Amino acid sequence: DSGVTQTPKHLITATGQRVTLRCSPRSGDLSVYWYQQSLDQGLQFLIQYYNGEERAKGNILERFSAQQFPDLHSELNLSSLELGDSALYFCASSPSGTVYGYTFGSGTRLTVV
Amino acid sequence: GENVEQHPSTLSVQEGDSAVIKCTYSDSASNYFPWYKQELGKRPQLIIDIRSNVGEKKDQRIAVTLNKTAKHFSLHITETQPEDSAVYFCAAGIDNQFYFGTGTSLTVIP
């Protein structure tokens, strides 16, 4: 157990729908990172939050958004879902605004049908 | 931004042999180089990392080397075992961000 908790573990939804993925960072960690991993693909960085504020943005679609709440948990919102959005979505956390001490959660597998 | 290239994309070795995975990076400012192992459907797990002030680091059967001048770093696994079979990702970065390579699928044949 890495200490980073992601819910739900699995999610099946239809095209056009909206879903919310949740991540609770390891205790004491201030940074949360979101990644998308499609089938047989590498890890694509989406977005980072540090202590409630957006810190870095990667290849995140406009249909996707995220936020980090005062209790430091984060949510990734995916809307107008397409078949191509089916993927594993990982959250990672680190103690500070840096990548040192970085650890991944177990991921949410999203299937869009 | 940083561009990380990883080779090979697939690698098969006999049990007991060594495996080497190589990565190159583009941003000379990068100073942190972790390696992750990901088993099918599971989260990536850090197996070893190295910082730019170190040229080599070893942890039992796993070692990483870094050549800052050439901007490349490598993962070496010796005495491979079937449980080493997984996808391995390198990454290069600095401060608040690092970028992943595309992964190497390693198969250790018993």
Side-chain angles (χ1 to χ4, degrees):
Chain A
D1 183 11
S2 66
V4 180
T5 303
Q6 289 189 248
T7 56
K9 292 189 182 302
H10 302 278
L11 194 53
I12 301 175
T13 191
T15 54
Q17 295 298 305
R18 171 189 170 94
V19 296
T20 298
L21 312 184
R22 182 188 170 104
C23 171
S24 293
R26 187 175 44 184
S27 179
D29 284 3
L30 300 178
S31 277
V32 170
Y33 302 75
W34 285 98
Y35 287 86
Q36 179 192 56
Q37 186 176 39
S38 302
L39 188 64
D40 297 330
Q41 295 295 311
L43 290 152
Q44 298 295 318
F45 168 68
L46 296 178
I47 198 164
Q48 178 206 3
Y49 280 84
Y50 172 66
N51 205 20
E53 294 189 1
E54 183 182 307
R55 185 76 175 257
K57 187 177 277 191
N59 299 320
I60 188 166
L61 300 173
E62 287 190 6
R63 300 184 286 109
F64 296 180
S65 64
Q67 59 184 127
Q68 185 178 30
F69 294 87
D71 67 352
L72 300 177
H73 91 271
S74 178
E75 293 181 355
L76 178 67
N77 300 296
L78 315 176
S79 62
S80 302
L81 284 168
E82 302 175 358
L83 296 177
D85 297 327
S86 296
L88 262 173
Y89 290 84
F90 286 104
C91 163
S93 73
S94 69
S96 64
T98 71
V99 296
Y100 312 117
Y102 202 86
T103 190
F104 283 90
S106 297
T108 292
R109 180 172 293 281
L110 172 66
T111 303
V112 182
V113 297
Chain B
E2 176 68 274
N3 181 43
V4 180
E5 295 189 358
Q6 184 171 347
H7 300 281
S9 57
T10 60
L11 179 60
S12 292
V13 299
Q14 292 289 332
E15 182 177 357
D17 287 350
S18 294
V20 180
I21 302 170
K22 299 182 179 181
C23 289
T24 60
Y25 61 100
S26 60
D27 189 346
S28 57
S30 290
N31 62 4
Y32 179 59
F33 307 91
W35 286 87
Y36 285 84
K37 175 183 180 182
Q38 186 180 26
E39 297 177 1
L40 189 64
K42 297 190 176 180
R43 67 183 179 95
Q45 291 191 281
L46 180 69
I47 55 172
I48 195 167
D49 58 8
I50 192 168
R51 301 203 186 187
S52 59
N53 58 345
V54 175
E56 183 174 358
K57 184 176 178 180
K58 189 173 182 179
D59 182 4
Q60 299 182 340
R61 298 185 297 107
I62 294 173
V64 57
T65 59
L66 171 65
N67 183 327
K68 284 186 62 181
T69 302
K71 289 190 280 190
H72 67 70
F73 56 113
S74 301
L75 177 72
H76 304 253
I77 306 174
T78 58
E79 301 172 12
T80 54
Q81 302 168 2
E83 51 265 39
D84 294 330
S85 296
V87 178
Y88 292 81
F89 292 96
C90 65
I94 184 170
D95 294 337
N96 69 311
Q97 181 55 274
F98 52 59
Y99 297 85
F100 285 87
T102 50
T104 296
S105 178
L106 172 65
T107 301
V108 179
I109 304 166

mmCIF file with all atom_site columns, all heavy atoms in Angstrom, chain A residues 5 8 16 20 25 45 48 59 64 69 72 83 91-92 94 99:
data_model
loop_
_atom_site.group_PDB
_atom_site.id
_atom_site.type_symbol
_atom_site.label_atom_id
_atom_site.label_alt_id
_atom_site.label_comp_id
_atom_site.label_asym_id
_atom_site.label_entity_id
_atom_site.label_seq_id
_atom_site.pdbx_PDB_ins_code
_atom_site.Cartn_x
_atom_site.Cartn_y
_atom_site.Cartn_z
_atom_site.occupancy
_atom_site.B_iso_or_equiv
_atom_site.pdbx_formal_charge
_atom_site.auth_seq_id
_atom_site.auth_comp_id
_atom_site.auth_asym_id
_atom_site.auth_atom_id
_atom_site.pdbx_PDB_model_num
ATOM 1   N N   . THR A 1 5  ? -4.513  6.942  -2.125  1.00 0.00 ? 5  THR A N   1
ATOM 2   C CA  . THR A 1 5  ? -5.768  6.227  -2.325  1.00 0.00 ? 5  THR A CA  1
ATOM 3   C C   . THR A 1 5  ? -6.546  6.816  -3.488  1.00 0.00 ? 5  THR A C   1
ATOM 4   O O   . THR A 1 5  ? -6.792  8.027  -3.523  1.00 0.00 ? 5  THR A O   1
ATOM 5   C CB  . THR A 1 5  ? -6.630  6.306  -1.056  1.00 0.00 ? 5  THR A CB  1
ATOM 6   O OG1 . THR A 1 5  ? -5.888  5.783  0.053   1.00 0.00 ? 5  THR A OG1 1
ATOM 7   C CG2 . THR A 1 5  ? -7.906  5.490  -1.233  1.00 0.00 ? 5  THR A CG2 1
ATOM 8   N N   . PRO A 1 8  ? -13.015 5.602  -7.779  1.00 0.00 ? 8  PRO A N   1
ATOM 9   C CA  . PRO A 1 8  ? -13.172 4.164  -7.609  1.00 0.00 ? 8  PRO A CA  1
ATOM 10  C C   . PRO A 1 8  ? -12.028 3.414  -8.302  1.00 0.00 ? 8  PRO A C   1
ATOM 11  O O   . PRO A 1 8  ? -11.232 4.009  -9.013  1.00 0.00 ? 8  PRO A O   1
ATOM 12  C CB  . PRO A 1 8  ? -14.506 3.896  -8.324  1.00 0.00 ? 8  PRO A CB  1
ATOM 13  C CG  . PRO A 1 8  ? -14.538 4.910  -9.421  1.00 0.00 ? 8  PRO A CG  1
ATOM 14  C CD  . PRO A 1 8  ? -13.896 6.142  -8.853  1.00 0.00 ? 8  PRO A CD  1
ATOM 15  N N   . GLY A 1 16 ? -20.197 10.459 -23.862 1.00 0.00 ? 16 GLY A N   1
ATOM 16  C CA  . GLY A 1 16 ? -20.935 11.676 -23.592 1.00 0.00 ? 16 GLY A CA  1
ATOM 17  C C   . GLY A 1 16 ? -21.152 11.984 -22.125 1.00 0.00 ? 16 GLY A C   1
ATOM 18  O O   . GLY A 1 16 ? -21.538 13.100 -21.771 1.00 0.00 ? 16 GLY A O   1
ATOM 19  N N   . THR A 1 20 ? -16.106 11.601 -12.233 1.00 0.00 ? 20 THR A N   1
ATOM 20  C CA  . THR A 1 20 ? -15.150 12.230 -11.319 1.00 0.00 ? 20 THR A CA  1
ATOM 21  C C   . THR A 1 20 ? -14.305 11.156 -10.659 1.00 0.00 ? 20 THR A C   1
ATOM 22  O O   . THR A 1 20 ? -14.843 10.207 -10.085 1.00 0.00 ? 20 THR A O   1
ATOM 23  C CB  . THR A 1 20 ? -15.876 13.050 -10.237 1.00 0.00 ? 20 THR A CB  1
ATOM 24  O OG1 . THR A 1 20 ? -16.603 14.101 -10.866 1.00 0.00 ? 20 THR A OG1 1
ATOM 25  C CG2 . THR A 1 20 ? -14.868 13.647 -9.257  1.00 0.00 ? 20 THR A CG2 1
ATOM 26  N N   . PRO A 1 25 ? -3.998  11.984 -1.264  1.00 0.00 ? 25 PRO A N   1
ATOM 27  C CA  . PRO A 1 25 ? -2.544  11.796 -1.234  1.00 0.00 ? 25 PRO A CA  1
ATOM 28  C C   . PRO A 1 25 ? -2.091  11.118 0.049   1.00 0.00 ? 25 PRO A C   1
ATOM 29  O O   . PRO A 1 25 ? -2.847  11.015 1.021   1.00 0.00 ? 25 PRO A O   1
ATOM 30  C CB  . PRO A 1 25 ? -2.015  13.230 -1.308  1.00 0.00 ? 25 PRO A CB  1
ATOM 31  C CG  . PRO A 1 25 ? -3.106  14.064 -0.728  1.00 0.00 ? 25 PRO A CG  1
ATOM 32  C CD  . PRO A 1 25 ? -4.387  13.376 -1.091  1.00 0.00 ? 25 PRO A CD  1
ATOM 33  N N   . PHE A 1 45 ? 1.451   12.837 -18.521 1.00 0.00 ? 45 PHE A N   1
ATOM 34  C CA  . PHE A 1 45 ? 1.194   13.768 -17.427 1.00 0.00 ? 45 PHE A CA  1
ATOM 35  C C   . PHE A 1 45 ? 0.033   14.681 -17.800 1.00 0.00 ? 45 PHE A C   1
ATOM 36  O O   . PHE A 1 45 ? -0.001  15.259 -18.888 1.00 0.00 ? 45 PHE A O   1
ATOM 37  C CB  . PHE A 1 45 ? 2.456   14.581 -17.149 1.00 0.00 ? 45 PHE A CB  1
ATOM 38  C CG  . PHE A 1 45 ? 2.236   15.758 -16.237 1.00 0.00 ? 45 PHE A CG  1
ATOM 39  C CD1 . PHE A 1 45 ? 1.909   15.562 -14.908 1.00 0.00 ? 45 PHE A CD1 1
ATOM 40  C CD2 . PHE A 1 45 ? 2.372   17.046 -16.708 1.00 0.00 ? 45 PHE A CD2 1
ATOM 41  C CE1 . PHE A 1 45 ? 1.709   16.639 -14.065 1.00 0.00 ? 45 PHE A CE1 1
ATOM 42  C CE2 . PHE A 1 45 ? 2.184   18.134 -15.869 1.00 0.00 ? 45 PHE A CE2 1
ATOM 43  C CZ  . PHE A 1 45 ? 1.855   17.931 -14.547 1.00 0.00 ? 45 PHE A CZ  1
ATOM 44  N N   . GLN A 1 48 ? -0.685  18.963 -12.267 1.00 0.00 ? 48 GLN A N   1
ATOM 45  C CA  . GLN A 1 48 ? -0.172  18.898 -10.909 1.00 0.00 ? 48 GLN A CA  1
ATOM 46  C C   . GLN A 1 48 ? -0.789  20.011 -10.071 1.00 0.00 ? 48 GLN A C   1
ATOM 47  O O   . GLN A 1 48 ? -0.939  21.137 -10.529 1.00 0.00 ? 48 GLN A O   1
ATOM 48  C CB  . GLN A 1 48 ? 1.347   19.064 -10.871 1.00 0.00 ? 48 GLN A CB  1
ATOM 49  C CG  . GLN A 1 48 ? 1.912   19.052 -9.444  1.00 0.00 ? 48 GLN A CG  1
ATOM 50  C CD  . GLN A 1 48 ? 3.222   19.793 -9.303  1.00 0.00 ? 48 GLN A CD  1
ATOM 51  O OE1 . GLN A 1 48 ? 3.732   20.387 -10.250 1.00 0.00 ? 48 GLN A OE1 1
ATOM 52  N NE2 . GLN A 1 48 ? 3.784   19.775 -8.101  1.00 0.00 ? 48 GLN A NE2 1
ATOM 53  N N   . ASN A 1 59 ? -0.510  17.481 -20.912 1.00 0.00 ? 59 ASN A N   1
ATOM 54  C CA  . ASN A 1 59 ? -1.391  17.273 -22.062 1.00 0.00 ? 59 ASN A CA  1
ATOM 55  C C   . ASN A 1 59 ? -2.832  17.006 -21.637 1.00 0.00 ? 59 ASN A C   1
ATOM 56  O O   . ASN A 1 59 ? -3.410  15.970 -21.967 1.00 0.00 ? 59 ASN A O   1
ATOM 57  C CB  . ASN A 1 59 ? -0.877  16.097 -22.892 1.00 0.00 ? 59 ASN A CB  1
ATOM 58  C CG  . ASN A 1 59 ? 0.520   16.352 -23.421 1.00 0.00 ? 59 ASN A CG  1
ATOM 59  O OD1 . ASN A 1 59 ? 0.842   17.452 -23.835 1.00 0.00 ? 59 ASN A OD1 1
ATOM 60  N ND2 . ASN A 1 59 ? 1.366   15.340 -23.357 1.00 0.00 ? 59 ASN A ND2 1
ATOM 61  N N   . PHE A 1 64 ? -11.296 17.931 -19.735 1.00 0.00 ? 64 PHE A N   1
ATOM 62  C CA  . PHE A 1 64 ? -10.861 17.437 -18.425 1.00 0.00 ? 64 PHE A CA  1
ATOM 63  C C   . PHE A 1 64 ? -10.523 18.628 -17.522 1.00 0.00 ? 64 PHE A C   1
ATOM 64  O O   . PHE A 1 64 ? -9.985  19.645 -17.982 1.00 0.00 ? 64 PHE A O   1
ATOM 65  C CB  . PHE A 1 64 ? -9.619  16.570 -18.560 1.00 0.00 ? 64 PHE A CB  1
ATOM 66  C CG  . PHE A 1 64 ? -9.801  15.300 -19.354 1.00 0.00 ? 64 PHE A CG  1
ATOM 67  C CD1 . PHE A 1 64 ? -8.716  14.444 -19.540 1.00 0.00 ? 64 PHE A CD1 1
ATOM 68  C CD2 . PHE A 1 64 ? -11.008 14.932 -19.900 1.00 0.00 ? 64 PHE A CD2 1
ATOM 69  C CE1 . PHE A 1 64 ? -8.844  13.269 -20.256 1.00 0.00 ? 64 PHE A CE1 1
ATOM 70  C CE2 . PHE A 1 64 ? -11.163 13.762 -20.619 1.00 0.00 ? 64 PHE A CE2 1
ATOM 71  C CZ  . PHE A 1 64 ? -10.067 12.937 -20.807 1.00 0.00 ? 64 PHE A CZ  1
ATOM 72  N N   . PHE A 1 69 ? -8.538  20.173 -3.058  1.00 0.00 ? 69 PHE A N   1
ATOM 73  C CA  . PHE A 1 69 ? -9.340  20.783 -2.016  1.00 0.00 ? 69 PHE A CA  1
ATOM 74  C C   . PHE A 1 69 ? -8.492  21.108 -0.778  1.00 0.00 ? 69 PHE A C   1
ATOM 75  O O   . PHE A 1 69 ? -7.363  20.644 -0.653  1.00 0.00 ? 69 PHE A O   1
ATOM 76  C CB  . PHE A 1 69 ? -10.481 19.833 -1.659  1.00 0.00 ? 69 PHE A CB  1
ATOM 77  C CG  . PHE A 1 69 ? -11.448 19.651 -2.787  1.00 0.00 ? 69 PHE A CG  1
ATOM 78  C CD1 . PHE A 1 69 ? -11.228 18.677 -3.763  1.00 0.00 ? 69 PHE A CD1 1
ATOM 79  C CD2 . PHE A 1 69 ? -12.577 20.444 -2.911  1.00 0.00 ? 69 PHE A CD2 1
ATOM 80  C CE1 . PHE A 1 69 ? -12.104 18.509 -4.829  1.00 0.00 ? 69 PHE A CE1 1
ATOM 81  C CE2 . PHE A 1 69 ? -13.459 20.276 -3.960  1.00 0.00 ? 69 PHE A CE2 1
ATOM 82  C CZ  . PHE A 1 69 ? -13.222 19.315 -4.922  1.00 0.00 ? 69 PHE A CZ  1
ATOM 83  N N   . LEU A 1 72 ? -6.573  18.574 0.877   1.00 0.00 ? 72 LEU A N   1
ATOM 84  C CA  . LEU A 1 72 ? -5.511  18.105 -0.039  1.00 0.00 ? 72 LEU A CA  1
ATOM 85  C C   . LEU A 1 72 ? -5.932  16.963 -0.955  1.00 0.00 ? 72 LEU A C   1
ATOM 86  O O   . LEU A 1 72 ? -5.134  16.571 -1.818  1.00 0.00 ? 72 LEU A O   1
ATOM 87  C CB  . LEU A 1 72 ? -4.228  17.738 0.716   1.00 0.00 ? 72 LEU A CB  1
ATOM 88  C CG  . LEU A 1 72 ? -3.618  18.889 1.506   1.00 0.00 ? 72 LEU A CG  1
ATOM 89  C CD1 . LEU A 1 72 ? -2.388  18.402 2.268   1.00 0.00 ? 72 LEU A CD1 1
ATOM 90  C CD2 . LEU A 1 72 ? -3.250  20.057 0.592   1.00 0.00 ? 72 LEU A CD2 1
ATOM 91  N N   . LEU A 1 83 ? -14.735 7.258  -26.526 1.00 0.00 ? 83 LEU A N   1
ATOM 92  C CA  . LEU A 1 83 ? -14.167 5.916  -26.393 1.00 0.00 ? 83 LEU A CA  1
ATOM 93  C C   . LEU A 1 83 ? -12.671 5.980  -26.107 1.00 0.00 ? 83 LEU A C   1
ATOM 94  O O   . LEU A 1 83 ? -12.130 5.176  -25.342 1.00 0.00 ? 83 LEU A O   1
ATOM 95  C CB  . LEU A 1 83 ? -14.429 5.109  -27.659 1.00 0.00 ? 83 LEU A CB  1
ATOM 96  C CG  . LEU A 1 83 ? -15.895 4.817  -27.985 1.00 0.00 ? 83 LEU A CG  1
ATOM 97  C CD1 . LEU A 1 83 ? -16.001 4.057  -29.312 1.00 0.00 ? 83 LEU A CD1 1
ATOM 98  C CD2 . LEU A 1 83 ? -16.547 4.010  -26.872 1.00 0.00 ? 83 LEU A CD2 1
ATOM 99  N N   . CYS A 1 91 ? -2.981  8.686  -9.998  1.00 0.00 ? 91 CYS A N   1
ATOM 100 C CA  . CYS A 1 91 ? -2.657  9.847  -9.198  1.00 0.00 ? 91 CYS A CA  1
ATOM 101 C C   . CYS A 1 91 ? -1.345  9.530  -8.473  1.00 0.00 ? 91 CYS A C   1
ATOM 102 O O   . CYS A 1 91 ? -1.082  8.378  -8.125  1.00 0.00 ? 91 CYS A O   1
ATOM 103 C CB  . CYS A 1 91 ? -3.787  10.080 -8.198  1.00 0.00 ? 91 CYS A CB  1
ATOM 104 S SG  . CYS A 1 91 ? -3.412  11.135 -6.818  1.00 0.00 ? 91 CYS A SG  1
ATOM 105 N N   . ALA A 1 92 ? -0.522  10.529 -8.289  1.00 0.00 ? 92 ALA A N   1
ATOM 106 C CA  . ALA A 1 92 ? 0.702   10.382 -7.512  1.00 0.00 ? 92 ALA A CA  1
ATOM 107 C C   . ALA A 1 92 ? 0.796   11.551 -6.558  1.00 0.00 ? 92 ALA A C   1
ATOM 108 O O   . ALA A 1 92 ? 0.215   12.610 -6.812  1.00 0.00 ? 92 ALA A O   1
ATOM 109 C CB  . ALA A 1 92 ? 1.924   10.329 -8.416  1.00 0.00 ? 92 ALA A CB  1
ATOM 110 N N   . SER A 1 94 ? 3.552   13.725 -3.684  1.00 0.00 ? 94 SER A N   1
ATOM 111 C CA  . SER A 1 94 ? 4.897   13.927 -3.146  1.00 0.00 ? 94 SER A CA  1
ATOM 112 C C   . SER A 1 94 ? 4.805   14.917 -1.997  1.00 0.00 ? 94 SER A C   1
ATOM 113 O O   . SER A 1 94 ? 3.850   15.695 -1.914  1.00 0.00 ? 94 SER A O   1
ATOM 114 C CB  . SER A 1 94 ? 5.863   14.422 -4.225  1.00 0.00 ? 94 SER A CB  1
ATOM 115 O OG  . SER A 1 94 ? 5.545   15.738 -4.610  1.00 0.00 ? 94 SER A OG  1
ATOM 116 N N   . VAL A 1 99 ? 9.360   16.553 -7.130  1.00 0.00 ? 99 VAL A N   1
ATOM 117 C CA  . VAL A 1 99 ? 9.048   15.154 -7.450  1.00 0.00 ? 99 VAL A CA  1
ATOM 118 C C   . VAL A 1 99 ? 9.733   14.174 -6.512  1.00 0.00 ? 99 VAL A C   1
ATOM 119 O O   . VAL A 1 99 ? 9.499   12.984 -6.568  1.00 0.00 ? 99 VAL A O   1
ATOM 120 C CB  . VAL A 1 99 ? 9.434   14.814 -8.899  1.00 0.00 ? 99 VAL A CB  1
ATOM 121 C CG1 . VAL A 1 99 ? 8.605   15.626 -9.871  1.00 0.00 ? 99 VAL A CG1 1
ATOM 122 C CG2 . VAL A 1 99 ? 10.924  15.057 -9.136  1.00 0.00 ? 99 VAL A CG2 1
#
